[in-house]
Amino acid sequence: MTLTTFGADQFGFLLLSLQWTLLLTVIALIGGGLLGFAVALARTAQPKPVRIAAATYIQIIQGIPVLMILFLSYYGLSLAGLELPPLFAAGASMTIYASGYLAEIWRGCIQAVPKQQWEASESLAMTRLQQYRYVILPQAMRISLPPTVGFAVQVVKNTSIASIIGFVELARAGQLINNATFQPFRVFLVVAGLYFVVCYPLSQLSRLLERRLHAGSSR
């Protein structure tokens, strides 16, 4: 058996796979953001049944490991006759996962807007939609930036579970190269370094936004 040496070709393969990791992250954040925003609004809606339904959705998603969501999306649907490509299954799973956490993050940010802002907008005879559009959401968005960016770091790292269904992202690429080179320390050290290159700037950006916007701390 001929072993391959870890070199430029293997590193290039890791960089290519990193692009798929980033694509899956973008899909999760965009899809999860849209769904999570709707759930966050439902969570703060006036009708109690709507709030209860939104809270139940959040609790279910946060109570299930994202790996189980992936298994249900890929293997569960295939048993029902609907076979999704790995990218679609991983994207759908990460979207559902992200929506549950982003909804709760944004719900907290909406409710963090001072009560006086709600009362002031009501005194101006604004409708509920106008309150959200012109008063509440602009302030909530400012508060939500640091935790949202921080959560993006978790999404990047959790994309590695897609390797379970054969989707070749960064972690899966590392496994394939290691199987060919039998150099786990070198291969996975490079993989860890690539994750660090992506996640560390996001973590620093989250801290910077928190300091600049004075969000999440009281002095």
Side-chain angles (χ1 to χ4, degrees), residues 17-145:
S17 302
L18 177 60
Q19 296 178 25
W20 288 105
T21 291
L22 296 177
L23 175 61
L24 187 55
T25 300
V26 170
I27 292 173
L29 291 176
I30 293 177
L34 293 174
L35 181 56
F37 180 67
V39 175
L41 291 181
R43 187 71 178 85
T44 58
Q46 291 179 328
K48 187 175 181 179
V50 175
R51 295 200 307 271
I52 293 176
T56 302
Y57 173 84
I58 292 173
Q59 291 174 0
I60 290 174
I61 298 304
Q62 292 189 359
I64 300 176
V66 63
L67 183 60
M68 294 300 102
I69 300 176
L70 181 63
F71 282 159
L72 291 173
S73 300
Y74 189 69
Y75 297 110
L77 291 179
S78 65
L79 292 176
L82 180 60
E83 295 189 6
L84 296 179
L87 176 60
F88 281 57
S93 302
M94 294 300 296
T95 291
I96 294 172
Y97 156 74
S99 69
Y101 286 88
L102 288 176
E104 187 65 8
I105 290 172
W106 293 344
R107 187 275 309 166
C109 294
I110 290 173
Q111 294 183 336
V113 176
K115 184 179 180 180
Q116 293 83 353
Q117 298 293 320
W118 292 91
E119 295 172 346
S121 57
E122 287 178 356
S123 68
L124 295 175
M126 286 185 175
T127 64
R128 189 74 170 181
L129 179 60
Q130 290 174 328
Q131 283 182 296
Y132 275 114
R133 181 178 179 181
Y134 297 111
V135 180
I136 305 304
L137 290 183
Q139 297 180 68
M141 184 180 299
R142 183 173 181 269
I143 299 172
S144 70
L145 284 176

